[in-house]
Amino acid sequence: MDTRKISRFFVYFFLTLGALIMLLPFFWMFSSAFKTTQEINRFPPQWLPSRLSLDNFKRAFEMAPFARYFMNSVIVMVCSVSITTFTTILAAFAFSRLRFPGRNVIFSLLLSLMMIPFEMLIITNYTTVVNLKIYDTLYALILPFTSSIFYTYILKNFFDSISDSLYWSARIDGSSNWRFLWKVMVPMARPSLMTIILLNGLASWNSFMWPMYVVVSKENRTLPWGLQVFTTEAGSYPELLMAASTVVVFPVVILFLFARKYIVRGVARGGLKG
Amino acid sequence: MRVVLDHITKKFGDFTAVSEFSAVLEDGELVSLLGPSGCGKSTLLNMLSGILPVSGGKIFFDDQDVTAMPPEKRGIGLVFQNYALYPHMTVMGNICFPLETQKVPKAERIERANEIARLVHVDMLMNRKPSELSGGQQQRVAIARALVKNPRLLLLDEPLSNLDARLRLEMREEIRRIQQRTGVTTIFVTHDQEEALSISDRIVLMRSGVLQQNDLPQRLYNEPANQFVADFLGNPPINNIPGTIQNGLFVTEDGIAEAKLPMLEGVENGRKVNLSVRSESFVLDANGPIACDVTRMYQMGKEEMAYLRMGGHDFRAYIDADAGLKAGDHVRLGLKKRGVFLFDRETGERIR
Amino acid sequence: MKKKQTADRELGNRSFLSKIEPYLYLLPFAIGIAVFTLYPVINVVLMSFKEGYSHLSRNFDQWGLANYQTVINDPKFAQAIGNTLKYVLLVVPISTCIAVVVAYLLNQKLRCSALFQTAYFLPMVTSITAVGLAWKLMYNKNFGIINYLLSFIGVDKIPWLENAAWSIPALVIFGVWNILPFTIILLLSGLQNIDPQYYTAARVDGSKGLRIFLRITVPLLAPTIFLVCIVNTISCFKVFSELYPLFNGKPGPFNNLYTVVYYIRYAMMESRKYGIAAAAALILFLFIFAFTMVQLLLQKKAKKR
């Protein structure tokens, strides 16, 4: 008997089994989103809906302003990611290329700040948001997330790897730092930037805890929190809840199918910052 | 443009990289900064470009003191050892970059870029990215980018060391050709003495931050200022036979052999010297002053290289193949006028 | 070419604009960090020492350790710490072991590795609320798919989310599922960094499969495993969002899964005692710090062996 073939079979078998377990919640979410109330409350459970109708989605959108939630999530994500990317590019450039006293010390200090859990900072940030009178607005969801030490660290590392001679070459040609940054460094950093933007976007889209603290009214909720709140309204209609959940999850799934490599690479690199 | 370096010094903490370096480089010259690794030649180049500030001394470009001037104002072109081409731009984009910075209008930019590209022979590669070019092509583009802004000084840092041997020969001629066409004062750094000898108008030889000799290539070869210069230039390296002067004779160090040479006249007794003779400066002479034995013979085309031993010291000489020497022969050699020197063994100073 | 030496001298003779230039680049970044990271850190630390702190008036009675005393003596906090520790000590080892096996399997040259990767990595990018609600549905005692599948091996319907005892494995399973993708990615990356020559050498020595795995792979993977444990420990200590969708915002069916982050939240939002919340937050941080240090020390010791 070919032991290699047997072991390969087992490898595939276990991996497939595991994959099915991993995917089960998603499968259940998507299929339930199309079921009727009777189909959901049936035992033994029905695997697939009998019809693919968008009724649940329509009703969910009627019962809670999911369109609004969706838009809020998009606005918050686009704003905070673009601002963060901008500040990150500038800061990474400063830490990588520009000279100023205490540069390395400050950077090490920042790295140590990364260790502080957000759960600890919420206490004050909550008060700050109230004091700035942006409580319960989208600003409260955007402004605290305009810079990131983590992404700056990643980008700075990349900038460091670009040879000095490119910089001096441009300087000798009379190029200003600003020009060099945007015409040379940033185009060369496209892969790293893609990773940062993707990770940042995902974090923003899925962000749950902070919006829970600082946003109360319907108009300003983002999707995850809106979804959670919907559990009261949807009550005994889990199919509506699943429809809403699908709305939250689906864009990300699509994105993942396309950008998987970037995301995985980014997480690996970021995780290894250890 | 005339470049004057006046007592340039560069210190890094306690370490002195360049020490009291002075030289004048005339307009339109192709000068090589030559020397072994760590001699300070790249440091000097960086000070000329303004990337590295000087610790002492002054630099003048055409009577203008540029010592404190930042690199972008000096009007120089610089070609790095790794070319530093922007990988995400095409060749055209790379060459145009300096002109863009100077806000030259687009039409003029393209025209000037094409003109320079024609000069350096990359005009058919304008749409390629650097990763699609060979080493030699990349270097041409780097040169084009440096020249497109009509600099008054062109600096090249070891331009040929990243190329393979054959390309090196070709490119050094190209550099020479381009330099002559544009007439721009050019300084290039190299550790390869053959390279420097073949294309420079002038060679500046450095060692441990100190200028050894600044002269025409042939003069460094034929009139070395000191032992180091004689040793550095020339392939095969110059033959050094150590000895002392005793009673007007050159006696080898182990006392075995001696030679009576007219050049020794006037040298004081007891002085420790090196008799330095280029391999091509020996002749077979039955009455010659150098008595030696043949240890090995190598045939190299039209000439033969003889490995000889005089009193325990080995040296090489080019011998006419027809002479029919073989190992074990005892011969006498004479010395030509050129390529024969006497150096003080302790100071390296040239005595004769 | 390395020109790092240019820094020291250049600082001297530069125009004013070029001197402040770096600070201009840092300014946008610095504002965000200063207001929402640096200031809060200092504020929270100080707040924890302000006895009788009122967040409305910003007044407090005096500096002292009263807040810490209250927290430490609070049985609820002890419960919170206990629950949090239970969670950490269950989720981290379980997820690490599973992830090591999965990463090892994924590292073999497979066809459709893209499909497998998608399957195993998807939970990482999706909203924890959304998937949590899906799990909640799956955990349903009467209609949930999990109980249905278990019925095939003769297990009776388990009241996953309604029973205090079963709520723990319910949470842990969900937690492991959630953290698995990230763990697998890191371990996979670590595996790929192992020089294949080690495997070749082992095979030449006659070792096979399991032996290679235990004697070669795992030890070489050790640094990554340590890293994964540390990172996961830190994130598991902050368990909160995993609970919310499963138990509708409550920490467990009978508040039995009360965690430290919940404690902090209640101190803030319900009792409005910010000083207490701050003290609890700091204690949490210290716990995380201590655990991390211990793991690092263990790692050093293991290296020495």
Side-chain angles (χ1 to χ4, degrees):
Chain A
M1 279 297 317
D2 192 351
T3 46
R4 270 263 207 92
K5 276 225 175 99
I6 292 187
S7 60
R8 294 238 8 122
F9 170 73
F10 274 113
V11 168
Y12 277 104
F13 177 71
F14 280 117
L15 276 183
T16 312
L17 196 60
L20 289 175
I21 296 178
M22 293 302 282
L23 288 178
L24 183 61
F26 293 109
F27 171 77
W28 201 248
M29 187 198 293
F30 294 154
S31 94
S32 302
F34 294 99
K35 292 183 190 160
T36 64
T37 317
Q38 300 103 310
E39 288 170 342
I40 279 228
N41 290 324
R42 188 174 298 176
F43 192 84
Q46 184 173 336
W47 285 93
L48 289 172
S50 49
R51 279 188 323 138
L52 277 178
S53 91
L54 292 176
D55 280 342
N56 292 336
F57 292 91
K58 282 194 211 142
R59 280 183 64 198
F61 270 67
E62 281 165 19
M63 290 176 72
F66 273 105
R68 184 70 193 243
Y69 295 163
F70 194 93
M71 228 193 40
N72 287 340
S73 278
V74 169
I75 294 176
V76 169
M77 180 179 72
V78 167
C79 288
S80 91
V81 170
S82 35
I83 299 178
T84 305
T85 308
F86 181 70
T87 65
T88 301
I89 291 178
L90 263 63
F93 183 66
F95 281 115
S96 174
R97 291 284 143 189
L98 301 180
R99 316 290 177 179
F100 54 95
R103 183 180 76 165
N104 291 334
V105 172
I106 296 180
F107 196 69
S108 314
L109 260 153
L110 286 175
L111 288 184
S112 60
L113 276 182
M114 258 201 298
M115 274 212 311
I116 315 269
F118 189 69
E119 285 74 2
M120 194 170 122
L121 306 175
I122 281 191
I123 302 174
T124 304
N125 283 338
Y126 175 73
T127 320
T128 307
V129 161
V130 172
N131 290 338
L132 289 177
K133 306 238 194 314
I134 52 174
Y135 180 77
D136 201 20
T137 66
L138 288 185
Y139 290 110
L141 297 177
I142 300 175
L143 290 184
F145 303 105
T146 55
S147 37
S148 159
I149 303 176
F150 179 57
Y151 299 133
T152 306
Y153 169 75
I154 293 183
L155 195 59
K156 175 205 182 265
N157 273 348
F158 181 80
F159 280 169
D160 281 346
S161 73
I162 296 182
S163 158
D164 263 359
S165 49
L166 263 91
Y167 174 68
W168 286 114
S169 196
R171 262 292 287 281
I172 285 176
D173 290 344
S175 182
S176 65
N177 278 328
W178 185 258
R179 190 153 185 277
F180 178 67
L181 173 63
W182 293 101
K183 291 248 165 182
V184 181
M185 292 284 243
V186 168
M188 285 179 73
R190 206 168 294 153
S192 283
L193 279 175
M194 285 253 55
T195 303
I196 291 177
I197 292 177
L198 278 172
L199 291 179
N200 199 2
L202 280 172
S204 175
W205 185 261
N206 293 334
S207 154
F208 164 74
M209 197 162 156
W210 178 245
M212 175 187 73
Y213 271 92
V214 298
V215 164
V216 170
S217 52
K218 265 193 191 176
E219 299 81 50
N220 293 320
R221 288 190 199 133
T222 50
L223 275 176
W225 181 232
L227 181 61
Q228 182 64 44
V229 169
F230 189 54
T231 51
T232 39
E233 287 145 350
S236 37
Y237 300 109
E239 68 274 17
L240 300 181
L241 210 51
M242 288 300 103
S245 299
T246 307
V247 170
V248 179
V249 161
F250 200 65
V252 172
V253 172
I254 301 291
L255 177 73
F256 190 71
L257 291 177
F258 283 108
R260 181 178 43 96
K261 285 219 177 99
Y262 273 118
I263 297 177
V264 171
R265 214 181 296 154
V267 169
R269 214 187 316 150
L272 294 174
K273 71 161 162 86
Chain B
M1 181 195 67
R2 193 165 183 262
V3 178
V4 176
L5 293 143
D6 187 15
H7 291 90
I8 297 291
T9 306
K10 180 64 185 170
K11 288 203 172 112
F12 296 108
D14 287 333
F15 172 66
T16 305
V18 176
S19 170
E20 303 280 320
F21 184 95
S22 299
V24 174
L25 310 164
E26 299 293 344
D27 180 34
E29 278 189 330
L30 176 58
V31 179
S32 51
L33 278 181
L34 178 65
S37 316
C39 68
K41 51 194 195 293
S42 284
T43 311
L44 195 61
L45 195 79
N46 289 336
M47 286 194 280
L48 275 169
S49 68
I51 292 177
L52 211 52
V54 308
S55 306
K58 288 192 182 301
I59 305 177
F60 295 90
F61 288 179
D62 268 340
D63 300 329
Q64 183 191 20
D65 185 346
V66 301
T67 320
M69 202 181 276
E72 54 268 24
K73 299 219 174 76
R74 295 192 187 195
I76 53 169
L78 179 49
V79 178
F80 292 85
Q81 192 169 353
N82 63 0
Y83 317 136
L85 296 178
Y86 305 120
H88 59 290
M89 294 185 198
T90 59
V91 167
M92 170 70 95
N94 265 283
I95 301 181
C96 283
F97 189 81
L99 300 177
E100 267 174 50
T101 317
Q102 290 173 5
K103 307 231 174 51
V104 171
K106 184 158 184 183
E108 192 187 328
R109 278 210 304 261
I110 299 186
E111 197 193 307
R112 280 168 70 173
N114 280 326
E115 198 184 312
I116 276 287
R118 272 192 294 273
L119 174 65
V120 305
H121 297 328
V122 295
D123 40 316
M124 70 306 266
L125 303 169
M126 291 307 250
N127 285 328
R128 301 229 196 132
K129 294 246 175 80
S131 54
E132 297 162 15
L133 302 174
S134 72
Q137 290 168 332
Q138 285 183 14
Q139 194 192 58
R140 289 172 195 266
V141 176
I143 295 176
R145 185 178 64 181
L147 287 177
V148 77
K149 50 189 163 129
N150 290 330
R152 38 190 192 156
L153 179 63
L154 177 65
L155 302 172
L156 302 131
D157 193 350
E158 306 245 18
L160 306 175
S161 43
N162 283 354
L163 304 173
D164 62 63
R166 194 166 53 142
L167 205 49
R168 226 177 278 166
L169 283 173
E170 181 191 324
M171 279 312 295
R172 76 184 188 206
E173 295 304 319
E174 279 298 286
I175 292 178
R176 179 65 173 160
R177 177 186 68 87
I178 295 169
Q179 190 267 340
Q180 299 213 293
R181 275 284 296 278
T182 56
V184 66
T185 312
T186 303
I187 302 176
F188 81 93
V189 165
T190 179
H191 59 270
D192 183 338
Q193 47 97 21
E194 208 187 298
E195 214 168 270
L197 281 172
S198 66
I199 60 172
S200 327
D201 291 322
R202 175 184 287 277
I203 296 182
V204 172
L205 181 59
M206 289 179 72
R207 181 202 199 190
S208 304
V210 179
L211 171 66
Q212 302 295 304
Q213 190 168 354
N214 171 4
D215 219 331
L216 306 174
Q218 278 311 106
R219 299 216 32 216
L220 266 98
Y221 191 77
N222 292 325
E223 305 288 328
N226 58 39
Q227 179 81 69
F228 176 76
V229 179
D231 287 338
F232 198 83
L233 295 167
N235 199 18
I238 200 169
N239 300 289
N240 291 320
I241 307 171
T244 36
I245 307 296
Q246 282 169 21
N247 306 320
L249 291 174
F250 172 80
V251 180
T252 57
E253 198 169 18
D254 48 16
I256 298 179
E258 52 183 52
K260 185 177 165 70
L261 303 161
M263 62 149 55
L264 300 177
E265 204 151 332
V267 183
E268 61 269 30
N269 228 9
R271 192 138 181 213
K272 295 204 177 104
V273 295
N274 270 340
L275 177 63
S276 302
V277 185
R278 299 237 182 248
S279 296
E280 66 268 20
S281 300
F282 288 104
V283 286
L284 278 175
D285 182 353
N287 300 318
I290 310 278
C292 49
D293 302 302
V294 179
T295 55
R296 271 201 306 254
M297 295 295 291
Y298 275 134
Q299 173 121 37
M300 293 159 64
K302 67 174 165 74
E303 283 174 329
E304 278 194 73
M305 164 96 58
Y307 279 65
L308 303 144
R309 178 169 297 167
M310 170 179 170
H313 300 286
D314 293 323
F315 58 97
R316 301 184 198 89
Y318 281 115
I319 300 290
D320 195 5
D322 295 335
L325 289 181
K326 8 178 232 313
D329 285 353
H330 182 83
V331 293
R332 292 196 79 94
L333 300 171
L335 301 171
K336 293 186 189 163
K337 265 214 159 64
R338 246 182 13 154
V340 180
F341 317 102
L342 205 65
F343 293 104
D344 183 310
R345 222 176 332 134
E346 274 145 18
T347 65
E349 178 196 343
R350 178 150 162 236
I351 309 172
R352 291 286 179 273
Chain C
M1 292 211 289
K2 292 192 169 85
K3 298 184 186 56
K4 304 275 154 84
Q5 307 100 334
T6 60
D8 23 7
R9 271 315 177 80
E10 271 203 51
L11 287 175
N13 49 346
R14 286 194 318 192
S15 69
F16 174 70
L17 195 62
S18 66
K19 272 200 203 149
I20 64 168
E21 191 184 16
Y23 302 111
L24 290 177
Y25 277 85
L26 286 175
L27 198 61
F29 174 78
I31 294 179
I33 298 290
V35 175
F36 292 105
T37 305
L38 199 53
Y39 165 66
V41 171
I42 302 175
N43 196 358
V44 167
V45 171
L46 289 178
M47 202 191 290
S48 66
F49 293 110
K50 291 183 180 167
E51 298 179 5
Y53 181 78
S54 155
H55 75 285
L56 289 167
S57 63
R58 305 279 199 89
N59 284 332
F60 61 101
D61 300 331
Q62 58 182 11
W63 294 101
L65 296 172
N67 291 330
Y68 286 96
Q69 282 173 330
T70 315
V71 169
I72 295 177
N73 293 330
D74 189 346
K76 284 216 124 190
F77 187 74
Q79 183 197 15
I81 289 275
N83 287 332
T84 313
L85 277 176
K86 259 191 260 178
Y87 183 77
V88 170
L89 291 172
L90 281 171
V91 170
V92 174
I94 294 178
S95 61
T96 306
C97 292
I98 299 180
V100 166
V101 173
V102 173
Y104 183 74
L105 292 177
L106 281 177
N107 200 28
Q108 317 293 316
K109 295 201 187 89
L110 302 165
R111 284 184 272 159
C112 26
S113 67
L115 279 175
F116 282 125
Q117 280 193 8
T118 307
Y120 283 99
F121 298 160
L122 203 51
M124 187 177 60
V125 296
T126 49
S127 160
I128 201 170
T129 315
V131 297
L133 290 173
W135 274 89
K136 183 173 176 195
L137 190 64
M138 296 196 328
Y139 274 134
N140 186 305
K141 185 171 97 171
N142 294 317
F143 308 113
I145 185 81
I146 293 182
N147 280 341
Y148 173 65
L149 290 172
L150 286 177
S151 71
F152 283 116
I153 52 177
V155 176
D156 276 337
K157 291 186 183 170
I158 299 178
W160 290 103
L161 303 179
E162 300 156 22
N163 178 297
W166 283 107
S167 62
I168 297 177
L171 178 66
V172 167
I173 294 176
F174 178 50
V176 168
W177 179 88
N178 233 339
I179 217 176
L180 215 49
F182 177 72
T183 316
I184 296 176
I185 290 182
L186 285 188
L187 287 169
L188 197 55
S189 175
L191 272 176
Q192 284 164 352
N193 281 337
I194 298 180
D195 196 332
Q197 287 194 0
Y198 289 116
Y199 294 128
T200 322
R203 223 163 276 141
V204 166
D205 288 344
S207 308
K208 285 193 191 133
L210 187 64
R211 192 125 189 281
I212 293 184
F213 178 71
L214 287 175
R215 291 300 217 79
I216 310 271
T217 315
V218 172
L220 283 176
L221 197 56
T224 316
I225 296 182
F226 268 110
L227 173 70
V228 149
C229 283
I230 292 179
V231 174
N232 281 347
T233 307
I234 295 177
S235 88
C236 280
F237 259 107
K238 302 185 262 177
V239 57
F240 173 82
S241 311
E242 292 85 342
L243 286 162
Y244 218 95
L246 284 183
F247 303 107
N248 209 13
K250 290 196 297 193
F254 304 104
N255 287 356
N256 58 314
L257 294 175
Y258 202 64
T259 65
V260 179
V261 178
Y262 262 102
Y263 185 87
I264 299 175
R265 175 170 167 77
Y266 283 174
M268 246 181 83
M269 306 304 279
E270 312 228 334
S271 30
R272 295 283 174 180
K273 295 213 176 105
Y274 280 48
I276 308 275
L282 232 63
I283 296 182
L284 174 66
F285 176 65
L286 286 173
F287 258 91
I288 296 180
F289 191 73
F291 260 73
T292 309
M293 284 298 132
V294 165
Q295 293 194 50
L296 284 174
L297 274 169
L298 284 176
Q299 185 176 0
K300 271 205 186 130
K301 274 214 178 132
K303 264 199 197 151
K304 284 201 182 133
R305 261 199 274 136

